[in-house]
Amino acid sequence: MKLKLTTLVFLFTYSVMVSQTKVSFTYKSVPVNEVITDLEKKFNIKLSFDSNIVGNQIVNYENKASTLEEVLMVIESQTNLQFQKVSDRYYTITNQQGYNFQKPQGLDEVFITEYITTGIKKRKDGSIVITPKSLGILPGLTEPDVLQSLQLLPGIKSPNETATELYVRGGTPDQNLVLWDDIKIYNSGHFFGSISAFNPYIIKDVKLYTSGTNAKYGNRVSSVIDISSQSDIPSETKGAFGFNMTHADFYVKTPISEKLGLMVSTRRSYTDLINTFTFQNLSERVFQNTKISEGNTFFDSDPIKITKEFFRFSDVTAKLVYEPTEKDKIVFSSLFTRNKLDYNFLNEAFNDTSKDELDVENQGISMKWNHSYNPNFSQALKTYKSYHNLEYEGSNSFSEGFSDLYVKNNDIDDYGVSLHNIWRLNDRKTLNFGYDFSYNKVSYAFQYNTDAFDLGDLEDRFNFSDTSINNIHAAYLEYNYRKDDKWVFNIGLRANQVSLLDEFYVEPRFNFEAKISPTIKAKFSAEQLHQTVVQIEELVVSNFGLESELWILAEDNISPLLTSEQVSLGLNYDKNDWNLDIDFYTKKIKGLTSFSRGFTTLDFSTGESNIKGVDILLKKTINNYRTWLGYSFVKNDFKFKNLNNNEDFPANFHITNQINWSHSYTWNNLSFSLGWNYRTGAPYTKGLGLDDADSVTIVYDKINNERLSNYHRLDFSSTYKFNFSPKEKLKGKIGLSIFNLYNRKNTLSRTYEVGFNSDGNNVLRELEKTSLGITPNLIFRVEF
């Protein structure tokens, strides 16, 4: 017994020592074979592999103190290799899932292998890559929700505490290009943005661009969020299922043959059957100041009850991977997401009834064919179709025999095809070029009918509909050059022909990174971007209080083309497990309208946004403990014609300062994370009173002249992984997260409306939306 115990203690101690030992490395275009030999000597491990898999690949890496885990992550990011731990000393090396060895890899080198925690890397082209499978624990999250994970990065905010409403460097959520396996997504969330619409357990990686955007991306002016699901052909059937306090999920991937594989996943809320504490808290935040939370009251004293209460969300994905030859790979992907809400109300005093139905769907399918002609030239042919539909119907039936009906629709048909080429001129130079075509058909309609009284000509004002079609032909070219690990730059150009506006637009892109000392690197980027599809604030059918924004195509008489220009300059310091990353940027967005920004005025006006900011990230790693401090400063001013006396004023949701301080610690299979979030209050326009001169209207102060109180909260999370069997074929995971640990009541927004008191007199009502209170969440998962 003592011998067994001593052996176990020795093995555990040895494992910890090997994983935490730090060694100095200097690899400059060193063949992988030599790197493997070096690792075996320095860490006293054995790596088993097929020499044909390794090939002639090379590694570039220099660090004075790296653990084995960190070095293996670097090798994986620069090659087609994947490392699997068999025991404390033995590892196997295989091909990475979904990796095409024939495809030239260009210059997608990793700049920082662990940006804030494991599974988050920063590449030399300025993009950030998140790999959910290896993502370390984050505060407030027990599952690797990709959109919520992005909010821990400096420069990315969600003022409404949602997963999907991401304000990136002063931009708005509709200015973010969100892709799922090359399918454009127009509604990326469930439950009005509380949860992202993407199952994190089937995602391979997420690429985020906030500046110096790759030339192959177009038609957005703020950021790119490119999500790719796993695309390997598994050797055996694998899957998982689990649940938390809002939904359950399941996925399975299985080989059909050696050259054909299938992956299917599904998620569904079960809160229409079980009302959990977590879902109840989310509901209270989501439905604030809407007909649902207020019981559809007209007067404050109305006795109202809900006679029907139904809400459900779901998503389904399917993927087929076919590799007919070593040089070809064909992938078919599909995605379907849906949110459905149905509420009925009854006024018991007057027997009046009311109904509200909302249905939001996003569907998409894509096909991608990768073909490698030789090790230096490859091609990718891609096509997709995306469909977004929003339908709302609200009706009232009064005991006197009168009734009214509100109807709102928004449809988007979006499909496209592109050809992307990668030509590796030599070890230092790569040329990317291609063609991109997209078709957009956008329709919207508002309707209001009533027989309560004679509207006369006014009735026509409540029946609007429009359909617009736009084609974009785009060609792009990008040149990448690298000189060892000293410096690298990408310079690109994208040219767009927009049919709806009959205009031609050119977008230059540039990104540069240079090593100016062993510990300091400098970076610079600049870009110009355009956007033809935008969201506007719908003010006709606004009585429901949810989903008030609609997509439309840019037209000169309603919403002009959006244009963005951004320049960014930064430094990175990396030494002794300290990392400091600083980015200064300036950004201008033109083509904004008063309809798209949702101001209190009904007058149409155009304007621009001038943004200046700095993003800072400081991180320190001590063995299994990580702490990082993120800080963002931004000055975002609007200027609109004929608004605010033509003077500048703070942008909507302009948050000047934001701080995220996070910690994580892992001990064996147990992980903990704690994070504190602080930000200055958002601006709002104060209501001063009512004007009863002609019709009752609200008198406002200067636009966004007041600010809400400062926001802060503390989040906690913990997970534990275990095995159901000694062979580790059946694995489990349990977790607990607590959002807003000390139950801070934060005000998210403040607006005003005309209401009525019990005497039927007009009164000015102040409406506040408050943050989520203390909200725990539990998860349980099984992998097989």
Side-chain angles (χ1 to χ4, degrees):
M1 183 65 184
K2 292 183 178 180
L3 179 60
K4 290 183 178 180
L5 183 60
T6 304
T7 303
L8 287 173
V9 172
F10 171 76
L11 290 175
F12 173 77
T13 306
Y14 176 79
S15 175
V16 172
M17 289 177 60
V18 168
S19 62
Q20 300 307 318
T21 300
K22 296 194 174 184
V23 181
S24 175
F25 293 95
T26 303
Y27 298 141
K28 294 184 178 180
S29 299
V30 178
V32 172
N33 276 316
E34 296 181 18
V35 173
I36 291 173
T37 302
D38 188 46
L39 292 177
E40 289 180 329
K41 291 179 180 179
K42 290 181 176 179
F43 290 101
N44 192 26
I45 59 173
K46 298 297 293 183
L47 297 167
S48 177
F49 61 96
D50 183 347
S51 59
N52 293 325
I53 294 176
V54 172
N56 297 319
Q57 299 176 82
I58 59 174
V59 175
N60 287 283
Y61 182 60
E62 184 175 355
N63 198 309
K64 292 185 177 179
S66 296
T67 64
L68 175 61
E69 180 188 35
E70 291 170 343
V71 180
L72 296 183
M73 287 176 60
V74 171
I75 299 174
E76 287 184 344
S77 68
Q78 297 183 15
T79 67
N80 73 320
L81 304 178
Q82 181 171 311
F83 295 87
Q84 177 101 23
K85 185 177 180 180
V86 178
S87 66
D88 294 329
R89 191 183 178 202
Y90 290 91
Y91 292 75
T92 61
I93 306 176
T94 59
N95 275 322
Q96 281 187 18
Q97 298 176 347
Y99 187 98
N100 187 347
F101 176 64
Q102 292 291 330
K103 176 182 176 182
Q105 292 308 294
L107 302 176
D108 286 347
E109 286 191 68
V110 170
F111 178 23
I112 304 173
T113 58
E114 187 181 298
Y115 191 53
I116 60 176
T117 187
T118 57
I120 302 181
K121 309 170 187 176
K122 191 167 187 177
R123 301 193 308 185
K124 289 190 176 182
D125 65 356
S127 65
I128 294 174
V129 180
I130 297 179
T131 308
K133 185 178 180 181
S134 55
L135 187 62
I137 190 169
L138 298 175
L141 300 178
T142 49
E143 296 185 288
D145 187 299
V146 292
L147 298 184
Q148 289 181 325
S149 300
L150 293 175
Q151 297 176 28
L152 291 174
L153 300 172
I156 301 179
K157 306 178 180 68
S158 178
N160 289 325
E161 290 187 340
T162 63
T164 59
E165 292 186 38
L166 301 182
Y167 290 73
V168 181
R169 289 191 169 185
T172 55
D174 65 312
Q175 296 169 5
N176 302 320
L177 175 61
V178 181
L179 300 171
W180 168 272
D181 282 348
D182 302 311
I183 302 169
K184 292 182 183 177
I185 304 298
Y186 291 90
N187 181 54
S188 57
H190 287 315
F191 197 22
F192 306 99
S194 298
I195 304 163
S196 66
F198 313 112
N199 189 337
Y201 297 105
I202 61 170
I203 294 176
K204 177 186 176 184
D205 59 44
V206 181
K207 298 181 183 69
L208 170 71
Y209 293 86
T210 60
S211 64
T213 310
N214 194 293
K216 69 179 181 179
Y217 299 106
N219 207 14
R220 291 297 188 277
V221 297
S222 186
S223 74
V224 174
I225 303 172
D226 189 351
I227 306 171
S228 300
S229 63
Q230 299 170 16
S231 58
D232 62 307
I233 299 178
S235 57
E236 58 181 343
T237 299
K238 294 183 178 181
F241 62 88
F243 65 89
N244 58 25
M245 294 296 101
T246 58
H247 63 272
D249 79 283
F250 169 80
Y251 80 85
V252 63
K253 51 183 181 178
T254 183
I256 299 176
S257 69
E258 290 185 358
K259 296 184 177 182
L260 187 65
L262 174 68
M263 181 174 65
V264 178
S265 77
T266 182
R267 292 192 302 172
R268 186 195 186 280
S269 63
Y270 58 81
T271 49
D272 52 329
L273 305 174
I274 303 173
N275 190 7
T276 65
F277 181 79
T278 303
F279 182 75
Q280 183 178 341
N281 277 19
L282 289 172
S283 298
E284 290 177 0
R285 184 192 63 188
V286 167
F287 295 134
Q288 291 179 82
N289 304 327
T290 67
K291 292 175 65 176
I292 294 174
S293 65
E294 297 180 357
N296 198 31
T297 57
F298 189 68
F299 299 109
D300 293 340
S301 59
D302 282 350
I304 303 292
K305 73 174 183 178
I306 298 176
T307 59
K308 184 178 181 181
E309 182 178 357
F310 174 83
F311 177 77
R312 183 179 68 195
F313 65 79
S314 60
D315 58 70
V316 179
T317 69
K319 191 166 192 175
L320 197 64
V321 182
Y322 178 49
E323 296 181 356
T325 70
E326 292 182 357
K327 294 185 177 183
D328 293 276
K329 186 171 190 175
I330 303 173
V331 180
F332 294 91
S333 294
S334 64
L335 171 72
F336 174 81
T337 71
R338 187 179 191 184
N339 287 261
K340 186 172 177 59
L341 180 145
D342 190 355
Y343 272 75
N344 290 356
F345 303 91
L346 172 65
N347 186 326
E348 295 180 303
F350 301 98
N351 200 31
D352 298 337
T353 62
S354 175
K355 180 177 70 173
D356 291 280
E357 296 179 347
L358 178 67
D359 198 348
V360 184
E361 293 184 3
N362 212 116
Q363 307 174 32
I365 186 169
S366 67
M367 186 278 291
K368 184 176 181 179
W369 174 26
N370 282 326
H371 177 72
S372 297
Y373 293 91
N374 56 58
N376 293 321
F377 187 79
S378 69
Q379 200 170 67
L381 176 66
K382 298 183 290 185
T383 182
Y384 75 92
K385 178 173 174 56
S386 178
Y387 175 69
H388 169 74
N389 171 253
L390 180 148
E391 294 183 356
Y392 166 73
E393 181 176 308
S395 62
N396 296 284
S397 179
F398 303 101
S399 57
E400 293 84 357
F402 303 128
S403 63
D404 59 24
L405 175 68
Y406 295 84
V407 176
K408 176 170 61 177
N409 296 310
N410 192 200
D411 293 283
I412 302 176
D413 280 305
D414 185 340
Y415 67 79
V417 61
S418 64
L419 183 65
H420 181 64
N421 304 278
I422 304 176
W423 183 12
R424 187 176 184 180
L425 304 176
N426 55 44
D427 290 340
R428 294 184 177 182
K429 305 173 185 176
T430 301
L431 198 64
N432 301 327
F433 59 96
Y435 166 77
D436 191 9
F437 168 78
S438 64
Y439 165 91
N440 289 105
K441 179 181 178 182
V442 181
S443 304
Y444 63 88
F446 313 114
Q447 180 184 355
Y448 173 67
N449 295 316
T450 181
D451 55 10
F453 46 87
D454 185 12
L455 288 175
D457 293 337
L458 186 62
E459 186 173 3
D460 293 337
R461 300 183 189 177
F462 293 86
N463 290 271
F464 299 102
S465 63
D466 184 63
T467 299
S468 300
I469 296 176
N470 184 45
N471 296 321
I472 300 179
H473 297 270
Y476 60 89
L477 176 68
E478 187 171 75
Y479 176 73
N480 306 323
Y481 182 83
R482 174 189 65 204
K483 185 176 180 181
D484 301 326
D485 63 340
K486 300 297 183 182
W487 53 276
V488 58
F489 75 82
N490 308 334
I491 183 168
L493 192 69
R494 184 181 178 91
N496 307 275
Q497 174 63 40
V498 180
S499 68
L500 186 61
L501 303 176
D502 193 23
E503 294 286 350
F504 182 80
Y505 303 98
V506 177
E507 301 175 344
R509 320 276 181 90
F510 181 76
N511 188 78
F512 174 80
E513 182 262 318
K515 187 174 183 179
I516 58 180
S517 79
T519 57
I520 300 176
K521 295 180 181 179
K523 47 189 175 175
F524 173 81
S525 68
E527 64 183 12
Q528 186 178 56
L529 307 170
H530 297 85
Q531 183 171 336
T532 61
V533 58
V534 297
Q535 282 186 319
I536 63 169
E537 187 79 12
E538 171 270 308
L539 299 173
V540 179
V541 189
S542 57
N543 66 313
F544 182 49
L546 291 168
E547 296 288 353
S548 60
E549 293 184 330
L550 298 178
W551 290 95
I552 68 169
L553 283 171
E555 296 185 72
D556 291 335
N557 59 338
I558 298 178
S559 182
L561 181 81
L562 282 178
T563 302
S564 170
E565 298 173 350
Q566 182 178 196
V567 176
S568 177
L569 177 66
L571 289 172
N572 180 269
Y573 172 83
D574 191 357
K575 186 177 181 180
N576 297 332
D577 293 322
W578 283 97
N579 184 268
L580 176 65
D581 196 31
I582 305 176
D583 261 327
F584 299 89
Y585 63 90
T586 177
K587 186 176 182 180
K588 175 176 283 190
I589 301 176
K590 299 179 180 179
L592 303 177
T593 70
S594 53
F595 291 165
S596 64
R597 295 305 94 217
F599 297 130
T600 53
T601 177
L602 294 178
D603 298 326
F604 177 79
S605 179
T606 60
E608 63 183 33
S609 175
N610 292 285
I611 307 164
K612 295 179 181 179
V614 57
D615 296 331
I616 302 175
L617 179 69
L618 177 64
K619 192 197 78 170
K620 173 64 175 176
T621 302
I622 306 174
N623 296 328
N624 291 337
Y625 168 73
R626 294 170 176 83
T627 181
W628 61 93
L629 179 67
Y631 170 73
S632 294
F633 168 84
V634 63
K635 188 177 188 300
N636 188 358
D637 291 329
F638 280 164
K639 187 168 187 179
F640 279 74
K641 296 179 181 178
N642 305 319
L643 287 185
N644 208 57
N645 297 321
N646 293 319
E647 296 177 354
D648 293 354
F649 57 92
N652 298 347
F653 295 112
H654 169 215
I655 295 172
T656 310
N657 300 282
Q658 176 162 315
I659 297 173
N660 286 304
W661 188 17
S662 302
H663 313 262
S664 69
Y665 178 75
T666 300
W667 180 66
N668 293 339
N669 294 324
L670 187 61
S671 299
F672 303 92
S673 187
L674 190 69
W676 186 65
N677 184 296
Y678 170 89
R679 64 173 185 250
T680 51
Y684 73 97
T685 304
K686 186 176 182 180
L688 302 178
L690 298 179
D691 182 3
D692 297 322
D694 297 318
S695 60
V696 180
T697 58
I698 301 175
V699 179
Y700 287 98
D701 197 0
K702 290 184 178 181
I703 300 176
N704 293 341
N705 198 42
E706 301 287 337
R707 282 194 175 269
L708 303 173
S709 57
N710 294 340
Y711 175 105
H712 57 86
R713 73 171 196 266
L714 183 68
D715 301 329
F716 168 81
S717 57
S718 178
T719 60
Y720 178 71
K721 298 179 181 179
F722 58 93
N723 297 315
F724 287 98
S725 62
K727 295 183 179 180
E728 300 186 2
K729 287 191 175 183
L730 195 62
K731 301 178 181 180
K733 177 183 176 181
I734 56 175
L736 166 69
S737 67
I738 302 178
F739 185 90
N740 196 0
L741 190 62
Y742 50 71
N743 201 27
R744 160 79 175 182
K745 184 178 180 181
N746 294 292
T747 303
L748 301 179
S749 68
R750 183 174 294 150
T751 57
Y752 299 85
E753 71 173 14
V754 179
F756 302 90
N757 58 24
S758 58
D759 297 326
N761 298 321
N762 297 319
V763 294
L764 180 65
R765 296 178 59 187
E766 183 178 81
L767 306 177
E768 284 192 350
K769 285 192 175 182
T770 57
S771 63
L772 197 64
I774 181 170
T775 304
N777 197 358
L778 298 170
I779 68 158
F780 174 76
R781 295 196 60 77
V782 175
E783 294 184 9
F784 57 87

